[in-house]
Amino acid sequence: MDLIPAPRRVSGHGDDFFALGPETRLAAGEGTEGTERWLRSILGAATGFPLAPGSVDNAIWLSVDPAVTEELGEEGYRLTVLPETVDLVGGGPAGLFWGAQTLRQLLGPDAYRRAPLPGREWRLPVTRIEDSPRFAWRGLMLDVARHFMPKDGVLRYLDLLAAHKLNVFHFHLTDDQGWRIEIKRYPKLTETGSWRARTKVGHRASPLWEEKPHGGYYTQDDIREIVAYAAERHITVVPEIDIPGHSQAAIAAYPELGNTDVIDTASLSVWDTWGISANVLAPTDSTLRFYEGVFEEVLELFPSTFVHVGGDECLKDQWKRSPAAQARIKELGLADEDELQSWFIRHFDAWLAARGKRLIGWDEILEGGLAPGAAVSSWRGYQGGITAARAGHDVVMCPEQQVYLDHRQHGGDDEPMPIGYVRTLEDVYRFEPVPPQLGPDEARHVLGAQANVWTEVMENHARVDYQTFPRLAAFAEAVWSRLPAPADRDFADFERRMAAHYRRLDALGVGYRPPTGPLPWQQRPVPEGMEGGFGRPIDGPPPNV
């Protein structure tokens, strides 16, 4: 079978099949309404069949069964295909939905089309599949701050996540280069903070600019729609509001948020280049109150238990020069600026906890002391996650050396805008979220993993597709399936199954990187004189840190 991600158990596969036709019914039990609605919509569009409700022999039966929950968990499912009928049972609504994704794959690539093609026969091979995920957190982080992705593009990516059984969408909404979420009590965050005058093309050392404004933001109703669309697909949307660094867009909108005693914050604009801005939030009570107001509106929009606060790459230069920041360090009895950042994060950890939420941040929140109750996104390597897990804190593994999908896929000269290490499809397939240094009790703190898509050099959805796919398919199998140790994984079999999966991606209109290399329109030629300076390639294998 050509299923991706690979299921836990497959048995009874033979030459017989269940034929899907105009008379096939969709029989839905209690608690299956969401998957019933989705399956009828998706398969109805692709096949042209009504899949009317009804309990007949020629039917797809949907149900939720506590017995499956006990054996396979809430996200587990059992799919039994017989010549006369199809029985799909979920451990819970999510498990039923993931089983429906498997059923769609079994119908073939044309099941991913939005209208029926003439002369197609629709068959499901007779089989029995029992399946459940290895990890509870199977995510993708999408950066819409560097390059804005309109709402329809976000909804499309939620469908792509669902098709790969990924269940967390980490929504990177704010950064130095743009603020992307409407906050009603602070309208300048979007009036001013969502637009920059121009954009650096390539690496920050490049002299090239796109001399036109770039921006956009999501209204609160857009956010509600995105969250509801994700929930129908059993995807949790985790919002990220970056503090105290990566905040120049917010400071450009509200200059009083910055360190006004050392720089003229009123002269700042939304940042138009890449890297790490020195303009960070001032550690004042008024800044805390401002962001409490931001988070109050964020909590109204996102039901996620976790709220991401960034906490990464906060340069301390302004704090070191700021009399107000130094006075705050002394007042709080802190040792240094690292502890000042920890104080900032701890404040929001307690604030969120009081409202039934959990703070999660990039692994820099370990510096100066880990905030109690916080979870860590381990991005600089595995070490931050190891440290956090050993201290009893939950971890999401997303080491940049392994699963940053903005990193280039090949070392060839025709790759568009080369960034970072070469991370091939096979490299991502051999990604292991649980480092061997952790014992069994510590490893239980690894909630799962996510692939991160940073968009400095991804100016539109075609570039996002190219960087994300097909590697996201390999990542999805690494976090769903119970694979052998990385060196023992059967990549040849995965490649064989990918041959069918490429056809599914084609039907979905995904502009992935072909295995033979970029197509002519996917290449980005390097301007004369810019060899080696247009992107930021890093040679050699990445360190395992």
Side-chain angles (χ1 to χ4, degrees), residues 77-101:
Y77 66 90
R78 182 181 296 120
L79 174 62
T80 305
V81 180
L82 299 173
E84 306 82 16
T85 190
V86 176
D87 189 30
L88 176 57
V89 186
L96 185 74
F97 183 72
W98 304 133
Q101 295 289 349

Side-chain angles (χ1 to χ4, degrees), residues 106-130:
L106 289 173
L107 280 170
D110 287 339
Y112 291 81
R113 299 192 181 277
R114 298 183 185 181
L117 300 180
R120 293 298 188 270
E121 289 187 342
W122 298 96
R123 296 178 171 185
L124 288 167
V126 166
T127 189
R128 179 181 172 90
I129 297 172
E130 294 179 323

Side-chain angles (χ1 to χ4, degrees), residues 170-213:
H170 176 169
F171 208 5
H172 184 81
L173 289 162
T174 73
D175 217 296
D176 298 307
Q177 296 85 1
W179 185 284
R180 305 294 178 218
I181 178 173
E182 177 188 27
I183 302 296
K184 291 186 180 295
R185 75 187 70 185
Y186 303 128
K188 292 180 182 177
L189 286 172
T190 47
E191 291 171 2
T192 299
S194 69
W195 290 91
R196 58 179 181 263
R198 62 177 186 168
T199 299
K200 174 69 73 174
V201 175
H203 184 247
R204 58 182 175 271
S206 163
L208 304 179
W209 297 87
E210 184 179 39
E211 295 287 354
K212 67 178 183 180

Side-chain angles (χ1 to χ4, degrees), residues 9 12 30 42 214 242 247 302 321 367-368 438 499 520:
R9 285 190 292 270
E30 185 177 350
I42 291 295
H214 176 85
D242 230 323
S247 298
F302 295 92
R321 294 187 288 119
E367 297 169 2
L438 294 180

Side-chain angles (χ1 to χ4, degrees), residues 311-538:
D312 62 315
E313 298 179 328
C314 179
L315 298 181
K316 312 297 195 305
D317 297 348
Q318 290 182 359
W319 287 354
K320 290 176 181 177
R321 294 187 288 119
S322 164
Q326 292 303 311
R328 175 51 57 107
I329 289 173
K330 185 175 180 181
E331 170 198 340
L332 296 170
L334 304 176
D336 53 23
E337 291 77 18
D338 283 345
E339 288 196 4
L340 183 62
Q341 176 174 342
S342 179
W343 164 81
F344 208 110
I345 298 298
R346 283 170 182 265
H347 173 87
F348 284 100
D349 179 53
W351 189 91
L352 289 167
R355 288 153 181 82
K357 301 293 185 179
R358 290 188 64 188
L359 179 145
I360 185 168
W362 303 112
D363 54 53
E364 285 93 333
I365 67 172
L366 292 162
E367 297 169 2
L370 191 63
V376 169
S377 300
S378 188
W379 77 271
R380 290 181 292 182
Y382 286 104
Q383 190 55 54
I386 292 169
T387 300
R390 285 176 172 168
H393 293 265
D394 289 338
V395 176
V396 175
M397 286 294 186
C398 47
E400 67 167 329
Q401 302 87 352
Q402 313 298 328
V403 290
Y404 267 35
L405 301 186
D406 48 316
H407 283 214
R408 57 200 172 125
Q409 302 181 69
H410 192 273
D413 293 336
D414 55 357
E415 290 295 316
M417 202 71 72
I419 297 294
Y421 296 101
V422 172
R423 293 284 83 193
T424 66
L425 183 67
E426 182 173 359
D427 291 330
V428 176
Y429 186 67
R430 298 190 189 281
F431 166 62
E432 171 51 48
V434 179
Q437 297 94 318
L438 294 180
D441 290 339
E442 297 165 338
R444 278 193 277 271
H445 287 290
V446 179
L447 301 177
Q450 68 184 34
N452 291 346
V453 178
W454 300 101
T455 61
E456 287 92 337
V457 298
M458 300 184 212
E459 67 277 7
N460 54 42
H461 88 269
R463 284 288 289 116
V464 176
D465 277 6
Y466 181 89
Q467 291 300 130
T468 304
F469 289 97
R471 293 183 293 181
L472 193 67
F475 173 82
E477 183 149 312
V479 294
W480 175 279
S481 306
R482 287 160 176 78
L483 298 177
D488 298 329
R489 293 177 187 176
D490 189 349
F491 181 68
D493 178 69
F494 178 76
E495 279 191 305
R496 179 191 63 77
R497 289 180 283 122
M498 277 301 298
H501 200 66
Y502 285 122
R503 294 174 59 207
R504 298 180 191 121
L505 297 178
D506 287 334
L508 287 166
V510 176
Y512 58 86
R513 181 190 188 275
T516 53
L519 298 168
W521 54 87
Q522 293 173 320
Q523 299 173 15
R524 188 160 190 171
V526 177
E528 187 176 353
M530 280 300 300
E531 294 83 359
F534 198 43
R536 186 179 60 88
I538 305 174

